[in-house]
């Protein structure tokens, strides 16, 4: 069975998993935080008003909620009877107020019973585990697998039909929900080190329970209690609507039942009890949400200003080209302008594939914005391999993603130019971009296992883009995919084609991703740390593969890496990035032989220190210190292992 | 996949047996003198005793339980104490009504949860806020209240749909569709509120995944990206919520059937439990749990189809 619901009504099941681990802050602190949340304030005020009105009913009206009067049947409002009369001439206002008492007291009973059973049993099951846990968990699952109202109907005939009995029984039926939540919270904290430490230091179980476990249980239980209040009020109204409960008692459910019997003559009778029920239950639900937000601190709502900022950022999310310096964020309309501007941006040099000029990427933060790429420029020629090198956080990956148009919507991207094969691609719409991505620009990600869709077979993931871009038939695409898999060095292409991503190794997955990147014969390949996440032994093979594919297809390539071994191995030219800026660009040999910028020198040195000395890397070190003798070793040794991992 | 399914079927059957037994115990705690109720208040002690013997109530509870469960396993749920009709016949006659509103409610619920949840996740902004609001309202409106409001507006005031009664599918499709539209919507709204929230949440999570970015880098169309790749990965948790919601749907049917004057098994569980007709109550409960188990099994199959990792 799938996990059954804690309440059995059609309500939102309080999500135990989401509540686990919410800790209870200091009381005063909590109140202050709650009062800052408008939702919490509104719901608390509503609930106070409803409760006050219900319990002050005798002061607010002198009418008897249970006294029928034939003369007043369905009568309009009259002095002392502000809401008029119901189907048997009872005062609606009085029934509404007294009905509120019944609802709130009933719900309180149900919640108290649920907590009284659920908390101790959950504590015990979570803390002691063993047989009690097994039996209790099993029982909890069982009672949750059947609609509560059905059990209630059966039990009510056995025990008699008063609302408070029904709510006691419903409390029992809700207790599994509390039990599971408490148990999960205890199990989560039980594994924590500080509980072990407390146990080792000889604290008694009772003491550990009070000091370390109860605080963790309290917050989720309070949140769930608020939600259970609402659920109990709803199910109670449902039972009363069906006619269960004392007929002498006023209740919102029985008012709805009366409205139902008069639905043809006086449908407006639905309004007041319906509103009372909905507002009360919503208030409890909102209070539950607000409590979760202020206790959990996970789902803090952004302030209005922050939301506005995020919205503004979203509209600027696409890469927006600016015709003149300095870079200006253009509006959406201007950005998708026309092809004339794009033609202007074309570089005269025929063999230039990609030109990036003055690219800037920033993210909005609470205090303004954080610039991750700060005005970089980059050129890639046809068939040229350009290394983009730098430490993590230097903006390499952000640069790669902005060329592909893959940055998240909140990123603010501007550039004078991003042109591909002479055409301005900055600010292209999604459809136009999709004609380039995958088709003419390929992308190889860093972490192979997380970059294949886990729900689809590998074959499908290879075939789908080829069919879309190249218009191949299913059979043609499959044949080509199998060929590609063989080409990237997979021994049994048929089997890999039919496999799911979780059935293959990381090295295989990276080969699959490379096959996918080159499947539509792109002219430019952007590879983001393609070997970093792989085993050392596999790294060299994958790099070899990329180099041979690049050479055979004469692809331009941007290789993002922090690894100078990789650079030495494969790159023609290198751009070194530091904190969002390119600090040095040079042909690979020149860079190794004669690094100009201190940061480049520092990177080269640290490459040497971090890794096991190897021939080629030793050569890099030598080059970095000024000896040019090692150049030949560097450039000609194809077996250079690319040692260090991330 | 097969052993996965067999395990699920096994635990489902165990659930039915245990719940039926539990209900048997509950109903026999009552000490209510059913024989007297049936024979009538004016009946003599002898007549009551004779009725008791006829129904087997003079037997020890354990014997009666074993008898009942023994024949129940063979598909015989006994006969009603009041009408003497076989329970399976009575339920069989009323099942189509309830199944119609439950399954259509589930279908409508699924479709709208997906549409609303995806829209909220992808569009964000005011669409998202509207969906959040809908979730709170959908949570706070019990299905019978929705049913009452729908009936008042669409059946009584506008008279687009019939207020009461059920038209059999075999009789007229449009009649059938009209007779179950309002009840199915009333049932579905709560489920939509909860499930759309989950669809929204897991879509937002999935759209942040690395593989979505990589798929985007392959130039896939937005439609394939959202509805083929992202939705399929986002579906399993939503399916779990939906199968929980289905239990609520069955409970909601009890009250919603009353509002729309539909004589299904929801009405039956209410009427038979208030009269104390034990075989009928037990039979209806067994059938309800069976429906829940079957629908959950269906969802498990869907879950396995969506998520290749659980198939092993």
């Amino acid at each position: 069975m799938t996990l059954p619901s804690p309440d059995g009504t059609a309500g939102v099941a309080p999500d135990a998993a989401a509540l686990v681990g919410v800790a209870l802050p200091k009381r005063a602190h909590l109140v202050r935080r709650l009062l800052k949340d408008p939702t919490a304030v509104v719901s608390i005020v509503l609930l106070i008003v409803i409760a006050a009105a219900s319990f002050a009913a005798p002061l607010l009206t002198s009418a008897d909620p249970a006294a029928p009067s034939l003369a007043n049947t369905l009568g309009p409002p009259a002095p002392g009877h502000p809401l008029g009369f119901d189907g048997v001439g009872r005062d609606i206002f009085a029934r509404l107020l007294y009905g509120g008492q019944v609802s709130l007291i009933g719900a309180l009973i149900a919640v108290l019973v649920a907590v009284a059973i659920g908390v101790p049993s959950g504590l015990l099951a979570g803390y002691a585990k063993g047989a009690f846990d097994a039996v209790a968990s099993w029982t909890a699952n069982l009672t949750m697998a059947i609609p509560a109202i059905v059990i209630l109907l059966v039990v009510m005939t056995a025990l008699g039909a008063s609302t408070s009995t029904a709510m006691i029984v419903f409390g029992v039926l809700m207790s599994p929900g509390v039990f599971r939540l408490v148990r999960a919270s205890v199990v989560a904290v039980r594994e924590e080190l500080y509980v072990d430490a407390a146990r080792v230091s000889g604290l008694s179980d009772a003491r550990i329970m009070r000091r370390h476990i109860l605080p963790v249980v309290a917050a989720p239980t309070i949140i769930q209690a608020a939600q259970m209040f609402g659920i109990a009020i709803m199910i109670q109204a449902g039972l009363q609507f069906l006619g269960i409960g004392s007929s002498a008692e006023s209740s919102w459910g029985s008012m709805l039942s009366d409205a139902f019997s008069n639905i043809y003559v006086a449908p407006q009778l639905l309004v007041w009890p319906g509103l009372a029920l909905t507002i009360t239950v919503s208030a409890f639900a909102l209070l539950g949400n607000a409590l979760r937000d202020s206790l959990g601190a996970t789902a803090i709502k952004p302030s209005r200003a922050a939301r506005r900022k995020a919205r503004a950022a979203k509209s600027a999310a696409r890469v927006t080209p600016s015709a003149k310096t300095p870079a200006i964020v253009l509006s959406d309309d201007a950005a998708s302008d026309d092809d004339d501007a794009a033609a202007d941006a074309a570089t005269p040099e025929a063999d230039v594939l990609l030109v990036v000029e003055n690219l800037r990427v920033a993210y909005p933060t609470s205090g303004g914005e954080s610039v991750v790429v700060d005005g970089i420029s980059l050129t890639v020629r046809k068939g040229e391999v350009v290394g983009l090198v730098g430490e993590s956080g230097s903006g390499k990956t952000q640069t790669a993603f902005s060329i592909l148009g893959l940055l998240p919507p909140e990123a603010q991207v501007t550039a004078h130019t991003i042109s591909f094969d002479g055409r301005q691609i900055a600010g292209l719409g999604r459809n136009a971009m999709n004609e380039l991505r995958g088709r003419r620009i390929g992308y190889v990600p860093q972490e192979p296992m997380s970059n294949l869709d886990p729900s689809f077979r590998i074959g499908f993931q290879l075939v789908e883009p080829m069919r879309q871009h190249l218009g191949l038939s299913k059979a043609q695409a499959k044949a080509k995919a199998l060929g590609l898999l063989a080409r990237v060095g997979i021994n049994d292409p048929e089997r890999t084609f039919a496999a799911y991503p979780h059935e293959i190794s990381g090295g295989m997955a990276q080969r699959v991703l490379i096959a996918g990147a080159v499947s539509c014969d792109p002219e430019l390949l952007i590879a983001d740390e393609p070997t970093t996440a792989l085993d050392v032994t596999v790294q060299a093979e994958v790099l070899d593969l990329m180099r041979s594919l690049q050479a055979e297809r004469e692809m331009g390539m941007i290789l993002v890496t922090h690894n100078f071994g990789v650079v030495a191995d494969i790159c023609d030219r290198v751009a070194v990035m530091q904190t969002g800026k390119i600090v040095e660009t040079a042909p690979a040999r020149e860079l190794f032989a004669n690094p100009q910028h201190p940061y480049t020198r520092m990177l080269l040195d640290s490459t040497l220190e971090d890794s096991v000395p190897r021939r080629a890397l030793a050569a890099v070190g030598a080059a970095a210190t000024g000896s040019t003798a090692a150049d030949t070793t560097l450039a000609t040794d194809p077996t250079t292992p690319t040692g260090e991992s991330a | 996949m097969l052993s996965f399914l067999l395990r699920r079927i096994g635990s489902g059957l165990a659930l039915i047996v245990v719940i039926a037994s539990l209900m048997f115990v509950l109903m026999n705690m009552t000490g209510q003198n059913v024989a007297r109720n049936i024979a009538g208040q004016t009946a003599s002690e002898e007549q009551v005793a004779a009725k008791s013997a006829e129904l087997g109530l003079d037997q020890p509870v354990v014997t009666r339980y074993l008898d009942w469960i023994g024949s129940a396993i063979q598909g015989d749920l006994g006969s009603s104490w009041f009408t003497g009709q076989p329970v399976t016949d009575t339920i069989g006659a009323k099942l189509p009504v309830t199944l119609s509103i439950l399954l259509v409610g589930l279908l409508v619920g699924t479709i709208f949860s997906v549409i609303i949840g995806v829209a909220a996740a992808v569009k964000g902004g005011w669409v998202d806020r509207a969906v959040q609001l809908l979730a709170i309202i959908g949570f706070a409106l019990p299905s019978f209240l929705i049913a009452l409001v729908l009936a008042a507006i669409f059946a009584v005031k506008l008279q687009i749909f019939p207020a009461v009664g059920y038209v059999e599918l075999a009789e007229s499709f449009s009649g059938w569709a009209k007779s179950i539209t309002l009840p199915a919507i009333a049932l579905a709204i709560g489920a939509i509120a909860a499930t759309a929230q989950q669809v929204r949440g897991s879509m937002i999570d999935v759209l942040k995944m690395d593989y979505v970015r990589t798929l985007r880098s392959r130039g896939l169309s937005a439609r394939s990206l959202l509805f083929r790749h992202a939705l399929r990965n986002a579906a399993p948790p939503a399916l779990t919520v939906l199968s929980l919601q289905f239990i609520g749907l069955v409970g909601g049917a009890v009250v919603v059937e009353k509002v729309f004057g539909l004589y299904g098994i929801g009405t039956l569980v209410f009427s038979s439990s208030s009269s104390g007709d034990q075989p009928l109550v037990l039979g209806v409960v067994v059938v309800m749990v069976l429906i829940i188990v079957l629908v959950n099994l269906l969802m498990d199959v869907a879950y396995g189809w969506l998520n290749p990792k659980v198939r092993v």
Side-chain angles (χ1 to χ4, degrees):
Chain A
M1 289 296 306
T2 328
L3 294 182
S5 108
D7 51 287
T9 64
V12 180
D15 182 359
L19 298 182
V20 169
V22 174
L24 193 64
K26 294 261 177 302
R27 196 163 298 147
H29 199 63
L30 166 64
V31 172
R32 211 176 318 126
R33 245 201 284 179
L34 259 187
L35 291 182
K36 270 192 201 155
D37 181 349
T39 320
V41 175
V42 169
S43 53
I44 290 173
V45 168
L46 273 176
L47 290 173
I48 290 175
V49 169
I50 292 166
S54 302
F55 290 101
L59 304 175
L60 293 173
T61 177
S62 54
D64 180 352
S69 115
L70 215 58
N72 286 329
T73 300
L74 298 176
H81 307 283
L83 302 178
F85 300 88
D86 74 357
V88 288
R90 292 172 297 197
D91 181 79
I92 292 179
F93 185 60
R95 286 179 69 71
L96 204 61
L97 296 181
Y98 285 98
Q101 274 185 24
V102 173
S103 286
L104 292 174
I105 293 173
L108 184 67
I109 293 173
V111 171
L112 287 180
V113 170
V115 170
I117 298 176
V119 171
S121 59
L123 282 174
L124 193 60
Y127 195 74
K129 300 216 169 172
F132 177 77
D133 182 27
V135 172
S137 298
W138 185 79
T139 316
N141 282 350
L142 193 77
T143 44
M144 289 159 86
I146 177 163
I149 197 158
V150 173
I151 301 184
L152 278 168
L153 286 175
V154 173
V155 175
M156 294 314 292
T157 43
L159 300 179
S162 89
T163 298
S164 44
T165 324
M167 286 296 100
I168 293 173
V169 176
F170 188 60
V172 175
L173 291 177
M174 282 199 300
S175 64
V178 183
F179 166 82
R180 292 165 67 107
L181 181 63
V182 170
R183 183 185 168 276
S185 304
V186 175
V187 168
V189 74
R190 203 176 177 275
E191 313 299 329
E192 294 286 335
L193 290 173
Y194 64 87
V195 175
D196 284 343
R199 199 174 294 135
V200 169
S201 66
L203 284 187
S204 71
D205 278 355
R207 189 90 189 273
I208 295 175
M209 191 74 101
R210 203 171 55 240
R211 288 274 301 279
H212 297 296
I213 308 242
L214 271 180
V216 187
V217 168
T221 309
I222 291 171
I223 297 166
Q224 205 186 23
Q227 291 166 328
M228 286 194 301
F229 256 102
I231 293 167
I233 288 176
M234 278 198 289
I235 199 116
Q236 186 189 349
L239 287 172
Q240 290 156 344
F241 176 75
L242 284 174
I244 284 174
S246 153
S247 53
E249 196 174 65
S250 349
S251 69
W252 295 341
S254 59
M255 291 178 79
L256 286 168
S257 175
D258 174 65
F260 175 55
S261 4
N262 293 293
I263 198 162
Y264 283 96
V265 274
Q268 74 278 5
L269 289 178
L270 284 174
V271 172
W272 293 109
L275 275 181
L277 188 59
T278 312
I279 291 174
T280 312
V281 178
S282 309
F284 276 116
L286 287 171
L287 180 63
N289 285 359
L291 279 168
R292 187 181 54 218
D293 290 352
S294 44
L295 291 174
T298 40
I300 296 169
K301 261 197 194 156
S303 70
R304 190 170 293 232
R307 276 207 301 271
R308 203 178 313 122
K309 208 176 281 171
R311 239 191 336 267
K314 199 164 183 179
S315 60
R318 284 194 281 153
V319 186
T320 40
S322 50
K324 294 190 174 71
T325 39
I328 303 162
V329 180
L330 300 177
S331 75
D332 274 7
D333 317 307
S336 51
D337 212 351
D338 54 302
D339 286 338
D340 288 354
D344 293 345
T347 352
E349 279 180 82
D351 66 335
V352 165
L353 191 59
L354 178 82
V355 178
V356 176
E357 255 177 57
N358 204 3
L359 172 72
R360 183 175 182 279
V361 180
Y363 287 89
T365 59
S366 49
E369 56 170 20
S370 128
V371 181
V372 292
V373 176
D374 192 5
I376 70 150
S377 299
L378 194 69
T379 307
V380 181
R381 293 189 181 76
K382 288 178 179 161
E384 182 188 39
V385 182
V386 175
L388 202 53
V389 193
E391 293 170 308
S392 24
S394 59
K396 315 171 297 239
T397 301
Q398 295 290 317
T399 304
F401 284 160
S402 39
I403 296 167
L404 286 158
L406 291 179
L407 286 174
E410 59 273 20
Q412 292 169 307
V413 188
T414 54
H416 288 173
T417 307
I418 300 179
S419 78
F420 177 75
D421 199 17
R423 184 179 173 214
Q424 177 71 268
I425 61 169
L428 275 188
R430 193 170 53 192
N431 288 340
M433 243 354 240
N434 276 345
E435 280 166 26
L436 288 175
R437 284 193 292 232
R439 174 72 187 85
R440 301 186 66 192
I441 307 177
Y443 163 69
V444 179
Q446 170 173 358
E447 166 59 57
M449 291 317 271
S450 67
N451 276 289
L452 286 166
D453 184 337
S455 301
F456 286 86
R457 291 177 198 277
I458 284 163
F460 181 82
Q461 300 188 45
L462 287 173
V463 162
E464 195 187 12
M466 285 195 276
R467 296 198 60 191
Q468 185 185 318
H469 288 307
L470 308 177
L472 299 183
S473 73
K474 231 176 188 166
Q476 288 170 324
K478 180 174 181 182
K480 189 163 184 199
L482 289 173
L484 280 166
L485 287 174
R487 172 66 190 84
V488 296
I490 284 169
N491 289 330
D492 189 350
E494 289 274 359
R495 205 170 124 203
T496 306
F497 188 89
Y500 283 101
H502 69 271
E503 295 167 340
I504 64 173
S505 70
M508 288 249 272
Q510 189 61 301
R511 287 169 197 273
V512 168
L513 283 161
I514 292 171
V518 301
S519 65
C520 300
D521 307 305
E523 292 134 83
L524 176 67
L525 191 65
I526 297 178
D528 182 12
E529 307 251 13
T531 57
T532 307
L534 301 176
D535 280 350
V536 175
T537 46
V538 186
Q539 288 186 352
E541 292 169 27
V542 167
L543 205 60
D544 272 348
L545 170 67
M546 296 202 60
R547 182 174 34 206
S548 66
L549 279 171
Q550 184 270 328
E552 142 193 329
R553 291 159 184 252
E554 294 174 341
M555 286 183 295
M557 186 155 125
I558 296 177
L559 185 70
V560 174
T561 182
H562 64 274
N563 184 329
F564 271 106
V566 172
V567 172
D569 221 19
I570 187 169
C571 295
D572 301 315
R573 244 166 6 100
V574 189
V576 181
M577 276 191 86
Q578 182 189 17
T579 56
K581 291 192 164 79
I582 289 183
V583 294
E584 181 168 4
T585 312
R589 278 186 210 197
E590 222 170 274
L591 188 94
F592 284 115
N594 192 13
Q596 296 296 311
H597 197 275
Y599 180 68
T600 313
R601 257 176 256 143
M602 192 200 86
L603 279 182
L604 282 168
D605 289 347
S606 66
T607 303
L608 182 66
E609 282 161 21
D610 285 353
S611 60
V612 189
R614 287 193 188 89
R615 198 159 51 97
L617 291 178
V620 171
T625 48
S627 155
T628 50
D631 273 8
T632 36
T633 332
L634 241 187
T636 53
D637 184 358
T639 58
T640 311
T642 52
E644 62 281 356
S645 50
Chain B
M1 187 73 189
L2 192 67
S3 77
F4 166 76
L5 275 184
L6 286 177
R7 270 202 313 273
R8 292 293 159 131
I9 293 173
S11 69
L13 289 177
L15 184 78
I16 296 173
V17 172
V18 173
I19 286 183
S21 310
L22 213 70
M23 284 293 168
F24 193 94
V25 173
L26 277 178
M27 294 209 70
N28 281 287
M29 287 188 333
T30 66
Q32 222 182 14
N33 196 342
V34 187
R36 155 85 43 206
N37 286 353
I38 300 169
Q41 293 308 321
T42 56
S44 65
E45 283 305 316
E46 289 74 35
Q47 283 171 311
V48 172
K51 194 75 200 173
S52 231
E54 185 195 325
L55 299 176
L57 287 174
D58 51 350
Q59 304 285 318
V61 173
V62 178
T63 317
R64 285 198 284 134
Y65 171 70
L66 290 177
D67 279 354
W68 180 80
I69 201 109
S71 38
I73 285 170
Q74 293 162 33
D76 175 12
L77 293 169
S79 300
S80 160
W81 282 351
F82 287 82
T83 65
Q85 273 197 334
V87 169
T88 41
D89 289 3
T90 312
I91 294 176
K94 310 207 166 203
L95 202 52
V97 188
T98 308
L99 278 185
S100 298
I101 61 169
L102 282 181
L103 297 182
V104 173
L106 185 64
L107 187 73
V108 170
T110 311
I111 294 171
F112 279 90
S113 304
V114 168
I115 295 175
I116 293 173
V118 171
V122 176
K123 298 268 176 209
W126 69 266
V127 181
D128 193 19
R129 260 167 281 151
V131 171
Q132 305 290 327
L133 193 70
L134 174 109
I136 293 283
I137 295 173
F139 169 81
L141 286 169
S143 49
F144 77 93
L145 183 56
I146 299 174
L148 283 172
V149 172
L150 289 178
I153 297 172
F154 294 100
V156 175
K157 187 105 181 142
L158 303 175
Q159 305 198 339
I160 305 172
F161 295 100
V164 291
Y166 172 70
V167 179
E168 273 176 48
L169 184 54
E171 205 174 301
S172 141
F173 177 79
S174 63
W176 171 80
K178 275 192 164 178
S179 69
I180 62 159
T181 302
L182 294 181
I185 293 175
L187 282 179
I189 285 181
I192 293 174
T195 316
Q197 276 284 79
Q198 180 61 54
V199 171
R200 169 190 175 273
S202 42
M203 272 302 269
I204 288 177
D205 289 346
V206 167
L207 287 174
K208 284 184 196 145
M209 292 287 176
D210 285 354
Y211 59 80
V212 170
R213 188 174 51 219
T214 298
L215 288 166
R216 209 169 260 155
S217 84
R218 302 277 189 260
L220 287 191
S221 67
R223 205 182 55 200
S224 165
L225 198 72
L226 277 184
F227 292 100
R228 189 179 279 157
H229 292 278
L231 188 59
R232 176 153 174 186
N233 283 289
L239 210 56
T240 305
V241 172
L242 195 65
S243 47
L244 292 182
Q245 289 299 316
F246 185 71
I247 300 171
L249 238 57
V250 175
V254 176
V255 199
V256 168
E257 281 182 11
K258 182 186 172 180
V259 173
F260 290 101
L262 301 171
Y263 294 97
I265 61 170
T267 318
L268 199 59
V269 78
F270 176 61
S271 61
S272 59
S273 64
S274 44
S275 64
D277 195 340
Q278 218 182 85
L280 204 49
V281 176
L282 288 173
V284 177
V285 169
V286 165
V287 171
M288 278 186 167
V289 180
L290 186 70
I291 293 173
I292 291 173
V293 166
L294 282 176
V295 167
N296 277 345
L297 196 67
L298 218 66
M299 300 223 188
D300 283 337
V301 173
Y303 197 103
W305 173 75
L306 287 167
N307 185 351
K309 279 184 209 172
V310 303
R311 280 181 224 166
V312 234

